Amino acid sequence: MSAFPPTFLLSVLLFSPVWAGWYDGYSCHSRTAEVCRVKDVTLDTERAVQTASFSDVRDPLVIESGTIVHFSRELANKLPGIFDLTVDKLGIVQLFMRPSLVHLSAVDNAIDKLLLDETTDEGYSMLTLHLSYNKLKELPSLDRFTRLMTLAVDNNVLSTIDMATFSRLKALRVLTLAHNRLLTVSSPADTPIQLVKLGRLSFAGNQLPLIDIRTWEFDSLRELNLTSNSMNRVEGNLAQFPALKVLDIAGNRWYCEWLLMVHSHQESHRLTLDADQPGRCREENMMTSHQHCCNPAGAEGSGLIDVYGDKWDELKRLTQLLNTLNATIANGSASVKHVLEAQLKTLNTQLSKLLEVQAEHGTELKLLEGGIDRQKDKTVKLETVLQDKVDQLRQIVDARWNLTRDGGDVTDWPIDQLSINTTTTNWPSIAANNEKTLGKLRELLETTTRQFNMYSSRSYDQQALLSTHMERVNTVQGELDKVRLNGQEIQQQLSKLEPTVDLIYSFLKDVREGCGEELD
């Protein structure tokens, strides 16, 4: 006979869902702590997620232990007031990220897929995202994570990454992709990747043979970690990272020539470099440059085989190029200088002639001006004489007219009142002669005016021609200054090349001595 009555068993069957809901309720195990910590959260089925309740949780929330296979949208909606969430070591395979989350840590799970909220175009508020020690093979689109400042995706299984994925993350300061399986890091060929606030970048512990940084514009980058890859060179110039202070490059298979450039950059920019492990170079049959292991360019790990031929041939080629450059600069500067000096001499001669012609024209103009002034004086005097004679004639005519009108006889006048040279003066002839003289004076004045205008026009033309020649002289002088400046710049470049050539020579000398010691 059963120990429980049938009614009791029926009650158990009817109210088992309620008890299950009671049993799956989760809350903070400490109400006084600043961080809400929840333990033993086991949600390994959809049914468990549906029946779970988080009635007494607060922000920030840390789920310390348990199992959550699928951190789904439904589960995320049960935590509406949580903005800082930590779900480390819970065996999560798929993770849904709610747009309102600000900080998310999902480290050391088994995540192979990240789910974004596709029901809205709302941007994500995420500032920090930690996804290290998972099984991610690729990253989702991060265009909506415009506020993200820290992204850590270390120890996953990424095999390739496109830097364009991060092009919209203008606030990004830390990006770590260390210890994945990266074989390639690609970048758009024509579009720069502008992450002006990025301060730390890590590709450590991957399988990268090289990396192309030519389109990276990381003005604030201070730390770059490339350790433990298979790199032989970096495409691009480290000088494009003006704030770079720490460069970690140990554990690679660098070309020795590239390391030379790095060490030169280190000396000029006070860069901090790491060092390879002691004994690594000898164990892997590689050469030593300062504190790093390297191979000759093209040797592909062949160690010291045929080092001298390649190196001395390269040094000889560089010496020949340097000598050719020096000869070209010397010959080019001399020939160009000779031509310019000849042109300058010709222009100076033409300018002297023009100045002489201008002086002659100036003298002629002064003579013409003096002649015109004299003609004016003569004309004024002649007009005065003529005016006096006209006044005398007018007086005689008026006097005779008055006498005739009064009925008198001219013969009755006193001789001294009527004889103003009337007996010997032929006034019509004198007037005609005066008219002719005035006509000639007018013609002479017009001729003088035309000559004056003509000389004035020629003077203006000569002045314009002189200005043109002066401009040409200034242009030639400017060209000569440019040639001299170019010569100075080339001399400065040669001065800069000399330490590099000396460094190469010293390096090759050390290589030869080191190889001799190892052979001994």
Side-chain angles (χ1 to χ4, degrees):
M1 187 174 187
S2 174
F4 299 100
T7 54
F8 176 78
L9 294 176
L10 181 60
S11 299
V12 169
L13 292 175
L14 289 176
F15 292 100
S16 58
V18 178
W19 291 348
W22 293 342
Y23 214 73
D24 290 341
Y26 301 102
S27 60
C28 308
H29 61 73
S30 175
R31 296 180 180 274
T32 59
E34 182 179 354
V35 178
C36 176
R37 301 181 181 275
V38 179
K39 296 182 178 180
D40 301 325
V41 179
T42 302
L43 303 174
D44 51 1
T45 64
E46 293 183 6
R47 177 65 179 171
V49 173
Q50 293 174 357
T51 58
S53 64
F54 295 85
S55 58
D56 187 18
V57 293
R58 63 183 183 276
D59 192 58
L61 173 61
V62 177
I63 301 179
E64 293 185 335
S65 60
T67 301
I68 304 177
V69 178
H70 297 288
F71 197 100
S72 61
R73 178 195 297 269
E74 184 176 1
L75 178 57
N77 291 337
K78 291 179 179 290
L79 305 169
I82 303 302
F83 303 100
D84 186 343
L85 177 62
T86 300
V87 286
D88 298 339
K89 300 181 180 180
L90 298 179
I92 300 174
V93 176
Q94 293 186 356
L95 174 65
F96 175 80
M97 295 186 292
R98 197 175 70 246
S100 59
L101 282 175
V102 177
H103 303 282
L104 175 60
S105 176
V107 176
D108 201 5
N109 286 283
I111 300 172
D112 59 13
K113 189 174 183 180
L114 296 173
L115 303 176
L116 304 182
D117 191 349
E118 303 293 344
T119 62
T120 178
D121 294 332
E122 177 186 0
Y124 273 74
S125 302
M126 196 84 68
L127 297 181
T128 60
L129 179 58
H130 295 274
L131 298 171
S132 299
Y133 294 94
N134 282 286
K135 297 181 180 181
L136 289 171
K137 295 181 179 180
E138 60 180 2
L139 295 178
S141 173
L142 300 176
D143 290 349
R144 295 162 62 187
F145 289 76
T146 55
R147 299 181 59 192
L148 192 63
M149 300 173 65
T150 300
L151 175 60
V153 201
D154 301 334
N155 294 93
N156 280 269
V157 290
L158 300 172
S159 60
T160 182
I161 199 73
D162 187 352
M163 292 300 291
T165 305
F166 314 109
S167 61
R168 299 287 296 276
L169 309 185
K170 302 302 182 182
L172 193 63
R173 287 166 170 77
V174 177
L175 174 60
T176 60
L177 299 165
H179 302 289
N180 279 272
R181 300 176 185 176
L182 289 176
L183 296 173
T184 59
V185 175
S186 60
S187 301
D190 301 325
T191 304
I193 306 298
Q194 296 178 331
L195 300 177
V196 296
K197 295 184 179 180
L198 185 64
R200 182 159 63 91
L201 176 62
S202 176
F203 291 102
N206 285 284
Q207 303 169 27
L208 296 170
L210 62 88
I211 195 168
D212 190 345
I213 63 172
R214 287 176 292 185
T215 59
W216 295 3
E217 297 182 5
F218 302 163
D219 295 344
S220 302
L221 187 65
R222 298 183 306 277
E223 301 178 21
L224 177 60
N225 192 335
L226 305 176
T227 58
S228 302
N229 279 275
S230 300
M231 293 190 185
N232 51 40
R233 69 188 186 279
V234 172
E235 293 288 347
N237 193 342
L238 293 175
Q240 67 193 69
F241 302 144
L244 188 63
K245 296 300 180 184
V246 179
L247 178 62
D248 297 326
I249 57 174
N252 285 281
R253 306 190 68 84
W254 301 111
Y255 287 157
C256 297
E257 288 81 358
W258 186 83
L259 276 182
L260 273 176
M261 292 187 293
V262 172
H263 292 143
S264 177
H265 182 80
Q266 175 194 15
E267 293 175 358
S268 60
H269 292 78
R270 297 182 180 179
L271 188 65
T272 300
L273 289 176
D274 60 350
D276 272 307
Q277 291 293 329
R280 174 178 178 257
C281 302
R282 181 181 295 274
E283 292 173 0
E284 299 187 18
N285 294 323
M286 299 174 69
M287 300 168 61
T288 302
S289 175
H290 292 75
Q291 296 180 332
H292 293 95
C293 304
C294 66
N295 286 315
E300 297 297 340
S302 56
L304 303 176
I305 298 176
D306 197 21
V307 173
Y308 298 111
D310 292 342
K311 294 301 176 184
W312 294 119
D313 289 344
E314 182 68 15
L315 182 59
K316 183 178 179 181
R317 186 181 69 83
L318 289 174
T319 303
Q320 292 175 350
L321 287 175
L322 184 59
N323 292 334
T324 303
L325 180 61
N326 286 331
T328 302
I329 292 170
N331 296 333
S333 299
S335 60
V336 171
K337 182 179 180 181
H338 177 71
V339 172
L340 289 176
E341 286 179 349
Q343 292 181 354
L344 181 60
K345 184 177 180 180
T346 303
L347 290 174
N348 285 332
T349 303
Q350 294 178 357
L351 180 60
S352 300
K353 292 180 179 180
L354 288 173
L355 291 175
E356 292 176 358
V357 173
Q358 185 182 17
E360 293 176 357
H361 289 172
T363 303
E364 292 178 358
L365 286 174
K366 289 182 180 179
L367 293 175
L368 286 174
E369 289 176 354
I372 291 172
D373 292 337
R374 289 193 296 273
Q375 291 294 338
K376 285 183 178 179
D377 293 339
K378 289 181 180 180
T379 303
V380 170
K381 291 180 180 179
L382 184 58
E383 287 180 351
T384 303
V385 172
L386 290 175
Q387 187 64 40
D388 292 340
K389 291 182 178 182
V390 170
D391 291 340
Q392 289 178 5
L393 286 173
R394 185 180 293 111
Q395 290 177 3
I396 294 172
V397 171
D398 289 342
R400 290 182 178 181
W401 173 257
N402 292 331
L403 181 60
T404 304
R405 189 182 58 182
D406 294 337
D409 190 356
V410 177
T411 57
D412 297 334
W413 280 38
I415 296 301
D416 58 349
Q417 294 183 8
L418 295 175
S419 59
I420 307 178
N421 295 330
T422 58
T423 59
T424 59
T425 303
N426 188 356
W427 292 111
S429 176
I430 293 174
N433 291 333
N434 289 337
E435 186 66 28
K436 291 179 181 180
T437 303
L438 284 174
K440 290 180 180 181
L441 287 173
R442 291 191 185 96
E443 291 177 359
L444 182 60
L445 182 60
E446 291 176 357
T447 302
T448 303
T449 303
R450 285 196 299 270
Q451 291 180 351
F452 179 76
N453 292 334
M454 181 180 66
Y455 280 114
S456 297
S457 177
R458 289 183 180 179
S459 176
Y460 292 145
D461 293 339
Q462 293 296 332
Q463 186 67 32
L465 184 60
L466 183 61
S467 300
T468 302
H469 282 291
M470 288 297 293
E471 291 178 357
R472 291 182 59 188
V473 169
N474 293 333
T475 302
V476 170
Q477 187 65 38
E479 301 251 333
L480 186 58
D481 293 339
K482 289 182 180 178
V483 170
R484 291 172 180 168
L485 183 60
N486 289 336
Q488 294 175 0
E489 291 179 352
I490 292 172
Q491 191 63 37
Q492 291 176 0
Q493 292 178 0
L494 287 176
S495 300
K496 292 181 180 178
L497 280 175
E498 287 179 0
T500 304
V501 174
D502 293 340
L503 183 61
I504 293 173
Y505 178 77
S506 176
F507 169 73
L508 294 177
K509 185 177 180 181
D510 294 341
V511 169
R512 183 176 64 179
E513 293 176 355
C515 291
E517 292 176 359
E518 290 188 2
L519 291 176
D520 293 341

